[in-house]
Every structure is written in structure tokens, then in C-alpha cells.
Amino acid sequence: MDGNGGWPFVGRAREREQTVAALDTASGSGVLLTGDPGVGKSSLLDEVLDHALRRQRVVLRVTATPGWRDVPFGVLASRLPQPSDANVADVFRDVERRLRDVAAGRGVVIGVDDLNWLDDASGALLERLVVGGTVQVVATVRTDALDAAPVAALRRSRSVDRVHVPPLDPDETALVVREALGGPVDGLTLGALWRISQGNPLFLREALRCGLREGGLVRRDGMWTWPAESLCPTHLAELIEQTLGTLDPDEAEALQYVAHAEPAPLALIERMVPPRTAEQLEERGLIRLVQHGADVLVQTGHPLYAEVVRNRTGALRARRLRRNLAEALAAVDGGGEGDLARVVAWRCEADLPVAADDLLTASEYALRRHDSVLAERLGRRVDSARGDWQVARALVAQGRSDDADAHLARAAADLTDPRDRAEAAALRALNLFWGGRRPDQAREVIDASHRDLPAEAHPGLLAAQAGIGAFSGASGGARESLARLAVDPPRDPLLATAVTALHPYLLLFDGQPGRAARMFDSGEVEIPDTWATMRAATQACHVQSLLMSGRLPEAEQLAERYYRDAVERGAADAVGLLAFARGKCAYHAGQMHRSMRWLHEARTLAGDRTLFPVRAYVLSANAYVAAQLGELAESRRLLQQLLDDHAGAGDGQLRGLVAADAELTAAWLAAADGQLATAVGTLRELPGRADQATTITVECLHLLSRLEPTTGTAERLAQVAAGCDSPLFTLWADYAHALAADDPSALERIGTELEASGYLALALEAMVAGEAAYGRRGDHRRANLLARRADLLHKRCGGYWPPLRPRPVGRDDLTPRERQICELAATGHDNAAIAAELVLSVRTVENHLQRAYVKLGLRGRAGLAQALGLQRAG
């Protein structure tokens, strides 16, 4: 598209095969391709006609249009004889004769785009040609035009099949976008394009063109992203005006009610819209019913319908519609908090008076239902400290930390309840630390609140103390604050959300990932719903706890589910966090290139507004995996970017877990760059620091044991791992001992356990180390057996090879003659039969087989077929 690529044809394999099969059937006269406007029927028609051409058929393609609807044979004028005195019967016979002459015994296929606009004469001619067996027809028609005369005429032929062309599903839509743009696209953008297009290729194409034309869709660091809030749907209005322009006044007003209220309770729409009108709109696909729990809701058939209807509704009419909706909903019996929020919002939009208490209640409901934009809008109508508090919390939930600070400061100063003031100060401090990256100012806010507020209000500050302590190296203080919070939890839901993941997060870095995972398994820690970024942070903590507990397959499945949840919610930080989690899982699974793809997306989405320390972790992981792949310049660039970002945020020194993580990455980069002494020096120093996180210590010793295997390092790692609850850490300690002892059988056992658990990257490294150890002991049979297993793991890891273990040279591969003899032996030939077939002596055959068994790590013919298969796979 627009210089980047063409418009791909994907996602229609099933419909294409159905259509082709119908045409290939001896009795088949044709196919009607039905579907909504813009769904891709014309592209499918072109594909089918191209197939017919390749099958040496005569193909004619015409496009019917409304302008030729009243002109007899108008659309077929170029295909028909033109004598003015010819009657219709003569024209029909002449066309049949000419088609047979041109076909010369070949099949004739006529493709008609928009069959419903075909004029009556052309429709009658087409019907006769089909019924007479002269041609086959493939025609497109909108689903709402199946009753048009030309369509009905063809449908009377029982040999004409109907193939429905549905919208693309989300995965197909993503594939189209990536191929059209010619590169990777972040999941947030793909999710937004899916929501706006609902799989309609025409809407999708126009949205992409709009984004490229207006500069909203950009390529950032190699990945396409659309960071703007809106995907300019108003530019797509012309594509659906034809559909909406055919509505009568009652239908138009009914659709306006739905568009301004959606998703609206069915009972409300039934009060506002005549039943027959609603049924007509539903039959045309302009509105639809959706089940939401126990409720039935009404919404437009496509998001763009609502967007266009709202945009072209005048201000006075919109005020009247919302006033009527508010009055009608207020009159519906059994309304709850949700209905109150709707009524309040509609009354505000209609400029009707609303009580401050109702505005605050509705704002709070919207915030708890993760509609922070509505919560902000309602809160701004309340001129008080409570209004500032509502606006501030809504802005924090949107990730607008700078905008939130002034409102939080006023709320902390002006709220009447000291505990509320303390919690406002706590949220302000967390916002300054996480969102504004101003740790010193955050601590000043806490200190000032301790001085100014009565002691009984101080528990309201605990959430900030815990959050800041956890990420600035004061984990002991964070644990103490969390213990007190368990007795006196925050009253504010945003603060409660902020501390939800802190306990398992600290456990994760205290070497207790198993306990952290069990907190999620048991429901002791629930995934919060109010603040999208904190929801994702909690989800990522869950994934990481499983990953560090040796439960990689579970972690991968959960990361994918959580990622899809974040995409549906549409928050960039949240999607970036879960892309980060997926990248970590892919890394341990040995899928380095897939890991880099996810980490690349996380880096793209983790922008300047991302909460600290997410971006630091993301950049560190990107640098780490880049070094694994041998991309050392890129790794250095990313690590430097991490340091520059942190210094630019006003805190020139990395601290706590973030600092340790960055130093671990720097050590790995130094080792990959051949600076082994530098890497080893860093790794020896890092675990000995005061208050160092246990898990970071384990990771440092794990890497040190692989760079410089010694008994001392292995014993230190075993001692630390013994105090942890992770089977994975125990395996790491066993691996360290096996490397230090150069024990090939232990390395083989550990590699097997890692492979069974899904940790293929380390499994491959262990197998290669075991192969080398067997070779040093002269056990070439076992060495070669591990070589074959390593080759298979290398294949499963997408070609990745562990940089700490250079590829073995001089492996004994089978000679062509050995392979020939082994393949015959594997298929059941005995030695005498092989000798006879190859004109060799039996003794020569036996010698070749014995040498092959050693190379393949076998004792005899058992397993020979499998071993040969492994070698081919490698």
C-alpha cells in the first residue's frame, strides 16, 4: 500500500475452494457470492475467475452499476450484437451461437460483480444461458439484495450454489495488515484496526490509507504503530453513506437513538423505537442484539455506523435525543448504578442540571468499570475537592500522570477527611514516582504528609511507601508496609489496585516464585479491573511467577490470554507489558527471534508515559536477547538508551532491582562481546551486595556458573537455591555442578529435564555441553547421540545456537555409503541382502554399520530409523 506493498488476498481459502468445487461439478451452473458491502466479494470473484482462466476456460467479467439498471443489455453492450431491428429472441440465440464459437468446446464462465444492479434484459439473458448449459456464472451480491429480480432469476436454478463471504476474523485481519504494510505491526494497532473494521476489508483498507496519508500510522524503530487516540473513522463515512442514506425517517431516528445510547438496554430501545422499525434495522444488519451477562443490549451492526450517525447528527437533535434517552431510562423499573451513570451522562450531554452527588456517584461507577474517560468528564462538572479527586484518579488510570498531579495536589490539600487526604497524597506520590519518574519529589510528598497529617491518617500513606520501596531497593521497608496494609487496606480502589501485585512481586524477587504463583492459583491475588496498566502489571507478575517456577507451558498460555485481554482494553502500556511477558516466555522456550519480535513490540509501546520501571525492564530484556542473537551493536544501543532514559528522567543513578537487572544484561553483553573478564567481575560482585534480591542473586550465579564453571560458584548457587521454592532454580544449581565437574551424564540428565519442561534454550546448551564432555572422555557413541539430540533441539529453537557453546567442529557425519547401507538396514534388509544389492561383501557391510552405529550413538539396529530421521531433521 502507498509505496509499502500491495493489498493481499488472504483468509478466503475455504470460500475459494467451495466456489471452485461448485464450478468443477458436472451439474454445477454457478455460484452466488453473498456478503455485506466491502467484505471482499469482488476480490474473491477475481480469484475464482483467474482459476477458471488457468483451467483453460473462456472467462467474461462484467460489473453491473445502478446507472445501467434501466438500459436493456446496457452492461453487456460490448458483448452483444448491435442490430437495431433484432428482437430479444434473436439476440439470445445469437449470443448463444457466438459464445459456442468462441469457446470451441471449452467451458465458459461469466463473472458478474453486483448482480443485483443488472438490467432486466441482461438478467433474462443470463438466466437463459445458465439454464441452457451454455455458461456457468459466478456473481457477487449483497446479502440485503437477494430479492432483486436478476438475483431471484438465477436462484431459481437449483444448480446455482450460494457461498457466504463473512468478514475476516481477527487473525486474518492482522495478516492482511502486516502484509499490506510490509512489516511487523504492534498488537494495540492491530486490535484497534480490528475494532474499527470488524474484519471488513474495504473499511480496513481505507483506514490504512487514511493513517498513511495523514501520518497517524508510522513506522517506529522498525514496527508499525498508530499511537493516536482515533483511527480517523470519519474519513470512512462516505463508504457507508450509501447504506445509511436509504433509511426512511423513522428508521433514521431509531438508528440515532441506538448510536447515541449504545450499548443500550433492550428495554430502553423498546420504549424509544417502534417494534417494526427495530426489526427492519436488525434484518438489514444495522443493529444487533448482544448478550452481556444476564442483560440483553442493543448496538449498531458496525462501530462505524454509530460513528457516522453521531457525526452527522446536529447539536440540537443530539441534545433532544439524549434528553429523551435519559427520561426514558429513568422511567425503566429496576435501574441500578449502571443506569444511573447513563442517565447522568446523558443529562450532562444535554446540558440539563445534575446534582453533584449524582455526578460523583456516576463518575465513581464509570471509574470502577474501567471507563476512565467518562469518569473524568463527569468529575470535571463538580467544582470541589471531591471533583478534583475524581478527575485526578481518572487521569491516573488513563496514564496521564502530568495532567493528574495538580488535581491530586489540590485533593490532598482540600479533602476534609484526613484519611482521604493521606490516600490522595499516596496516589500523588506513586504517580510522581511511577508516572513522572520523579522519585525525590515523591518522597518529599510522603514526608510532608507524615508531618502535616494526624497519626491516625498515616496508614493511608502505606500504599505509596510499599510501592516506592519495592522499586527503589528498600524491599525490607516495602514488606513492612505490605504487612500493615494487610490489616489496614486502602479505601481507594486505585490505591488498592496499585498494591495488588506488590506482594507476589516481592516474593518473586525474594526467591519464592512458587509461593507467588500459588497466590494467583488460589485466588488470594485477584487480577484488578480498575486501572488498565496495573491490571497488566499484575498479569505480567503472574506470568513471571509461573515462568520462574518451572511452569513454562502454563506461563505461555496465560501470557497469550492476558495479552489478548490487554489488546481488547486498548491501553498501550498494558499491551506493551504483556508483549514483554510473551517475549520472556519465548526466550526461555528457545524461540529467540519470536522473543525479539514480542520484545520489539513492548519497546515500541513502552513510550515516555509508561510507568517506571516498565520501560527499563523492557529495554534491558531487548538488549539481553539481542546479545543472545549476536546483535551486539543493537544490544549496546538499547542498553545505552536505558541509561539515557533514566538519566533524562531526573534520577541519574539506577537503583534497586532495575539497576541489578541492567547490570546483569551488561555482563551478558560483555561476555557475548568476548570481554569475559569484565563479565565475570561484574557477576562476582553483584550477588554480594547488601539487600540484593535473592532471585537476582540466583540469576547472577547461574550466568557466572556458565561463563566460568567452578565448584565454588556451583556450591554458592546451590546454597541460595536451597532457600528458594523453585524447581527451576534447583535445576540451574544442578547444571552448575555438572559444568564444574564436566560430568556428561549429569549434563545429559539436566538437558532432558529442561527439554521436558519446555526450557529449550538452556536444554540445548546443556546437551551441547554434554556432547563435548563425552567427547573429552572418549565416549564417541554417547557424544554422537547427544549431538543428534542437540541438532533436533537446534531445529526446534528455530536455528538458534547458544553463544556460550560454540558449534562443535569435526563431527562424524555419515558418509554417503554409510547412509545408503543404514537406510537399507532401517527398512528391514539383513546384511546379506544389503551386500547382494550393493555388490559388497557381508564383512564390508558389517564394518560400515558398526562405524555408523558409533556416529549415531546406537548399539545396534534398534532405533536406526529414528536416528536417521533425526539427522535429516538437523
Side-chain angles (χ1 to χ4, degrees), residues 8 73 225 277 342 398 415 458 485 517 520 692 694 719 736 784 857:
F73 301 117
T225 186
T277 302
R342 289 172 181 274
Q398 293 173 52
L415 288 169
H458 289 179
L485 279 169
F520 288 99
Q692 178 63 273
T694 303
Q719 182 179 6
N784 283 314

Side-chain angles (χ1 to χ4, degrees), residues 627-647:
Q628 286 270 1
L629 291 169
E631 299 172 3
L632 303 186
E634 176 69 358
S635 180
R636 282 190 287 270
R637 182 186 74 82
L638 292 166
L639 197 56
Q640 187 60 49
Q641 186 178 346
L642 188 164
L643 299 173
D644 292 344
D645 281 1
H646 199 82

Side-chain angles (χ1 to χ4, degrees), residues 767 771 782-792 801 808 811 855:
M767 291 295 185
E771 174 195 348
R782 296 300 301 177
N784 283 314
L785 178 60
L786 255 63
R788 310 308 169 204
R789 294 183 64 184
D791 283 344
L792 182 58
W801 193 268
R811 277 184 177 173
K855 292 179 179 181

Side-chain angles (χ1 to χ4, degrees), residues 287-303:
I287 65 172
R288 60 192 178 98
L289 302 182
V290 293
Q291 193 76 35
H292 183 73
D295 300 325
V296 178
L297 303 177
V298 183
Q299 62 187 45
T300 52
H302 192 286

